[in-house]
Amino acid sequence: MGQPVASRGRAATPTVGKAMLNKYARAFFTRVLTPFAAFLIRRGVSPDTVTLLGTAGVVAGALVFYPMGEFFWGTVVITLFVFSDLVDGNMARQLGRSSRWGAFLDSTLDRVADGAIFGGFALWYAGGGDDIALCAVSIFCLASGQVVSYTKARGESIGLPVAVNGLVERAERLVISLVAAGFAGLHKFGVPGIQYLLPVALWIVAVGSLVTLVQRVVTVRRESAEAEAAAAAQESENASQGREAAK
């Protein structure tokens, strides 16, 4: 959720398949949602308002439905509000208001939404789901997702590209978790055995997030060493040139 800007930061180069999916899916939804975005603009609604409402909808869907074990309906609500991510960006482009503030708000509220989703899972397993191990896995998914995002942001803030394609990044975490939760919710409609999809998905996200965290830490360490070596070499060269000039 939020307005995309050119200065959002450097991203790792995506795989060809992911790039194609992003390109064509985003182009399709842009065409579909542009009239709706224009309608909201005419009504005086701001992109920031859509961002905030979208996040509120995701949080409500996760923290109201998931703790009750209503995974199907919770996922439906969350999915509907996730489209605000495209609507507010579309509005910002039409208004020419892409900004650093929009990128900051977007990133911040993404963390809130992610926390609500995995927090909802944790509340279910701590209560009606009665599975302390899966409650712990859900909490780990919540925490590791925040740290994975922080490592990239922190690395970029000190001038490093953090050029790595993580095994399970935010998009993968959400798709795996929400799809599994939606299907797991069909158990209440009489589909047998499908409720086990969510525990499997949470374990996959947990392990994948841990691997991604290690990938990013290793990448930042390597890029940091390379940057410091380049700076030392440049300093040595400048000193050498200074001595030559003094002769």
Side-chain angles (χ1 to χ4, degrees), residues 60-229:
L63 296 183
V64 172
F65 290 95
Y66 283 174
M68 297 189 297
E70 295 290 345
F71 294 119
F72 177 79
W73 293 114
T75 301
V76 168
V77 171
I78 290 169
T79 301
L80 290 174
F81 280 99
V82 161
F83 280 100
S84 66
D85 189 23
L86 300 177
V87 174
D88 58 7
N90 193 306
M91 293 172 66
R93 286 190 294 273
Q94 290 190 45
L95 292 169
R97 290 183 183 174
S98 292
S99 66
R100 291 179 177 83
W101 161 249
F104 171 81
L105 184 65
D106 169 55
S107 181
T108 300
L109 294 184
D110 280 349
R111 306 289 82 76
V112 173
D114 292 359
I117 291 170
F118 290 105
F121 293 147
L123 288 172
W124 162 248
Y125 287 116
D130 193 24
D131 193 320
I132 194 65
L134 286 174
C135 175
V137 171
S138 300
I139 293 172
F140 179 82
C141 290
L142 190 164
S144 61
Q146 306 295 324
V147 177
V148 164
S149 297
Y150 173 79
T151 54
K152 186 173 182 65
R154 181 58 178 153
E156 291 177 342
S157 73
I158 59 176
L160 300 175
V162 196
V164 59
N165 287 323
L167 179 64
V168 176
E169 298 184 342
R170 182 174 187 263
E172 289 82 8
R173 289 197 303 272
L174 292 182
V175 170
I176 292 171
S177 302
L178 292 177
V179 169
F183 278 111
L186 295 177
H187 178 68
K188 289 200 170 185
F189 295 90
V191 180
I194 202 166
Q195 71 271 21
Y196 298 111
L197 278 178
L198 181 56
V200 171
L202 289 173
W203 277 107
I204 290 173
V205 171
V207 173
S209 296
L210 179 60
V211 172
T212 303
L213 177 59
V214 172
Q215 288 177 308
R216 289 193 173 177
V217 170
V218 169
T219 298
V220 169
R221 180 178 174 82
R222 174 179 53 79
E223 292 176 347
S224 177
E226 292 172 351
E228 289 172 1

